């Protein structure tokens, strides 16, 4: 892997993560592929070899602290040029009915993995003065103000755990991007809507859903352009600008 830049991508056994691996391999990257299912990772590694990409496979569960630490140790080696923190789980349902152990696993994977892996990989990137972090969140991260309406197909699902966990990477990447300004290292958070994949037991395989490949293409384009927030499917960025202004107004008494 010495002659090509290296990207470490989590959740690469299917969906967005698999598509991101193919996109970066085609753009000249070698890969560190991270997911639970080793067999799928090894199949993907063979496919990527056909386009000249060498792949290292790490089969681990990032919903466990030990799993995050194992990948963080690899990320801290100093040779990673791009981190794509993509692995996640849906975690929908009434909050009071979520088992404590499921809450812990979902929160660890959706909220904690990104900052821990970013912290491990940043020193090497900053030392070289280049590189970046891509956090994959969701448009639902911005849905806290929309009520959940049980039995109403037009409403939102019950999602307190998922939304709160996915809101974290959005805020993290946005603030981190300001801290990294001028260093040559960049942070981007991508927020897709419905994506047709096996994620959430395939519930998002509907006609209006984006393909993982389209998400990967848009994500990589946004990152390489230096954008901080990639809101897929939102043509008018006015709402994002108004959100930033509202945040400044709310926080003005403390800054």
């Amino acid at each position: 892997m010495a002659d090509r830049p290296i990207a470490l991508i989590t959740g690469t056994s299917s969906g967005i993560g698999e598509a991101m691996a193919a996109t970066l391999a085609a753009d000249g990257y070698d890969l560190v592929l991270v997911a639970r299912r080793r067999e799928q990772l090894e199949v993907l590694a063979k496919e990527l070899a056909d386009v000249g990409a060498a792949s290292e496979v790490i089969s681990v569960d990032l919903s466990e602290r030990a799993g995050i630490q194992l990948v963080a140790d690899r990320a801290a080696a100093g040779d990673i040029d791009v981190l794509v923190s993509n692995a996640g789980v849906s975690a929908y349902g009434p909050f009071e009915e979520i088992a404590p152990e499921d809450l812990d696993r979902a929160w660890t994977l959706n909220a904690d993995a990104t900052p821990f892996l970013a912290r491990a990989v940043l020193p090497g990137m900053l030392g070289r003065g280049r590189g970046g972090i891509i956090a994959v969140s969701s448009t639902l991260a911005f849905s806290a103000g929309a009520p959940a309406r049980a039995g109403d197909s037009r409403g939102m699902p019950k999602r307190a755990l998922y939304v709160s966990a996915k809101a974290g990477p959005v805020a993290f990447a946005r603030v981190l991007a300001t801290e990294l300004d001028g260093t040559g290292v960049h942070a981007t958070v991508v927020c897709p809507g419905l994506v047709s994949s096996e994620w959430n037991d395939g519930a998002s395989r509907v006609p209006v859903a984006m393909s993982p490949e389209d998400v990967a293409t848009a994500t990589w384009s946004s990152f390489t352009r230096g954008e901080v927030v990639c809101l897929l499917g939102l043509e008018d960025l006015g709402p994002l600008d108004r959100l930033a202004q509202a945040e400044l107004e709310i926080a003005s008494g403390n800054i």
Side-chain angles (χ1 to χ4, degrees):
M1 290 189 178
D3 298 329
R4 291 161 53 108
I6 302 174
L8 188 156
I9 308 174
T10 69
T12 49
S13 60
S14 65
I16 296 173
E18 181 180 2
M20 285 296 302
T23 297
L24 269 70
D27 205 31
Y29 281 74
D30 286 334
L31 290 308
V32 179
L33 307 174
V34 180
R36 290 180 295 112
R37 297 174 293 181
R38 176 173 291 276
E39 182 177 349
Q40 282 90 334
L41 293 180
E42 292 176 346
V43 169
L44 177 60
K46 291 179 181 178
E47 293 174 352
L48 298 179
D50 292 338
V51 296
S55 297
E56 176 183 344
V57 168
I58 301 178
S59 176
V60 68
D61 188 347
L62 290 176
S63 68
E64 299 176 353
R65 297 286 176 173
I68 292 178
Q69 187 59 58
L70 189 152
V71 179
D73 289 343
R74 174 62 186 89
D79 59 347
I80 303 299
D81 295 277
V82 175
L83 166 67
V84 183
S85 184
N86 162 73
V89 64
S90 64
Y92 295 149
F95 185 75
E96 72 276 9
E97 297 178 6
I98 297 174
E101 59 271 22
D102 292 337
L103 189 158
D104 180 64
R105 291 174 64 86
W107 187 269
T108 299
L109 180 59
N110 288 343
D112 292 345
T114 294
F116 274 91
L117 297 182
R119 175 60 183 85
V121 82
L122 270 175
M125 293 180 179
L126 291 170
R128 295 190 304 275
R130 67 177 189 276
I133 294 162
I134 299 173
V136 178
S137 181
S138 167
T139 54
L140 283 179
F142 299 93
S143 74
R149 297 183 178 92
D152 182 354
S153 61
R154 298 168 299 174
M156 293 284 185
K158 293 189 176 180
R159 64 201 186 285
L161 174 58
Y162 181 74
V163 168
S164 57
K166 282 297 187 178
V170 174
F172 173 73
R174 290 173 65 203
V175 177
L176 182 63
T178 67
E179 294 185 10
L180 296 175
D181 187 40
T183 66
V185 182
H186 183 62
T188 294
V189 60
V190 56
C191 301
L194 289 172
V195 180
S196 182
S197 73
E198 65 179 47
W199 188 84
N200 195 25
D201 296 325
S204 60
R205 284 178 174 150
V206 295
V208 297
M210 296 183 69
S211 72
E213 291 75 20
D214 285 345
V215 174
T217 298
T219 296
W220 191 235
S221 176
S222 180
F223 175 77
T224 55
R225 290 197 304 266
E227 295 176 355
V228 176
V229 181
C230 176
L231 281 168
L232 299 177
L234 185 67
E235 296 181 2
D236 177 12
L237 296 182
L240 189 60
D241 294 335
R242 292 192 293 274
L243 173 63
Q245 182 59 40
E247 289 173 332
L248 286 175
E249 293 175 4
I250 292 170
S252 61
N254 297 309
I255 56 177

